[in-house]
Amino acid sequence: MKLSLLASIIAIASSVSAAPLAENVVDLGGRAIVDFYDPRSRGGSLLDQSAGLGEPLNVIISGKSSPEVLTKDGFNDFAEAIGFSEECFGIHKGDPQLSDLGDGHGPLGEMEVLRENFGNPVFGTCFETLEGGNHLRVWQQNGPDANSGALFLAVSQEEDLGESHTISPDGYNVGRDKFVAAAVGTHRYLFTTYTTTAEKVPGLLNPGTDGINHGISQDGVVILLTVTVKSIF
């Protein structure tokens, strides 16, 4: 999907207000069947903790998604289907960023860091490391106080290695929009298809630069994605 279509996606999503808290239906594993719990209501934040400030958690994978995608391996497979892979040769430099999702775990390091692979799942993230591109960090809301299973993503467009991977101008909005545009619709990886819908969730982030790392303004938009997994067999 081309980026020029994202405005249409957001416009449609803007008319839908996702419910962060739903009825407390519980699955067999004890996980509440809700889109997510608002981290702020339990002392958490929609900003991660990096360099004394934070990067916005601007995409949420709904806890109502297929359970397969709400695991590290399952999310990685979904990410592969939409053009993201693990870091170049599995090498990660830098300390993990922390996030408190208000689920009783307190601040935890990210579950995964993935980078745009430019259509090459083997070496593409090496190119992203050198030249810059889209990347994401992911945390899961699965603690004893708020076990939704939802995945919270900090998505951003970053500069090249020569710029020390700093966030691009408007990189938080651009990174989110590119990720959503890539995700919405139906995609396939190996023997699985992923069908993804998007909704805009209002009021979770304040627009502007207050508390935002690098002083880069963001528009306050958080997109909720619901991913349905289906085996082709």
Side-chain angles (χ1 to χ4, degrees):
M1 180 179 297
K2 295 182 179 179
L3 256 185
S4 59
L5 297 181
L6 184 68
S8 299
I9 295 171
I10 300 300
I12 294 171
S14 296
S15 66
V16 182
S17 180
L21 298 175
E23 64 275 9
N24 192 26
V25 179
V26 178
D27 70 6
L28 293 178
R31 180 176 64 87
I33 307 301
V34 298
D35 287 316
F36 63 93
Y37 291 105
D38 186 340
R40 301 170 302 172
S41 66
R42 294 165 172 80
S45 175
L46 269 292
L47 297 177
D48 73 8
Q49 300 173 20
S50 58
L53 296 172
E55 298 188 1
L57 305 180
N58 48 15
V59 175
I60 301 172
I61 308 296
S62 170
K64 294 180 180 179
S65 299
S66 296
E68 299 95 317
V69 84
L70 300 177
T71 66
K72 181 176 178 177
D73 289 343
F75 177 75
N76 284 1
D77 287 347
F78 166 66
E80 291 280 2
I82 62 172
F84 288 78
S85 301
E86 293 182 337
E87 296 189 275
C88 180
F89 299 117
I91 298 172
H92 176 69
K93 294 185 178 180
D95 296 329
Q97 293 184 11
L98 305 177
S99 185
D100 185 350
L101 298 180
D103 60 0
H105 281 322
L108 291 178
E110 65 255 0
M111 181 174 84
E112 188 66 280
V113 179
L114 301 177
R115 299 185 184 278
E116 188 175 3
N117 66 27
F118 302 101
N120 185 331
V122 178
F123 300 112
T125 57
C126 299
F127 180 78
E128 194 280 340
T129 298
L130 294 173
E131 298 296 328
N134 210 10
H135 81 310
L136 62 90
R137 302 171 188 271
V138 56
W139 293 264
Q140 186 164 37
Q141 188 178 60
N142 59 1
D145 296 341
N147 186 14
S148 70
L151 303 177
F152 286 68
L153 281 57
V155 189
S156 58
Q157 178 83 5
E158 64 179 2
E159 299 290 273
D160 60 24
L161 185 61
E163 296 292 333
S164 302
H165 289 163
T166 57
I167 305 301
S168 303
D170 200 29
Y172 298 122
N173 297 336
V174 170
R176 176 204 61 216
D177 291 354
K178 286 179 63 178
F179 182 85
V180 171
V184 168
T186 299
H187 305 276
R188 175 179 168 181
Y189 178 67
L190 299 178
F191 304 112
T192 304
T193 61
Y194 302 87
T195 301
T196 303
T197 60
E199 303 176 53
K200 179 180 176 181
V201 187
L204 292 178
L205 283 168
N206 294 322
T209 61
D210 188 27
I212 303 296
N213 199 14
H214 306 296
I216 296 173
S217 183
Q218 49 82 40
D219 58 16
V221 172
V222 176
I223 298 297
L224 177 72
L225 300 179
T226 303
V227 184
T228 302
V229 176
K230 183 178 180 181
S231 172
I232 66 172
F233 292 114

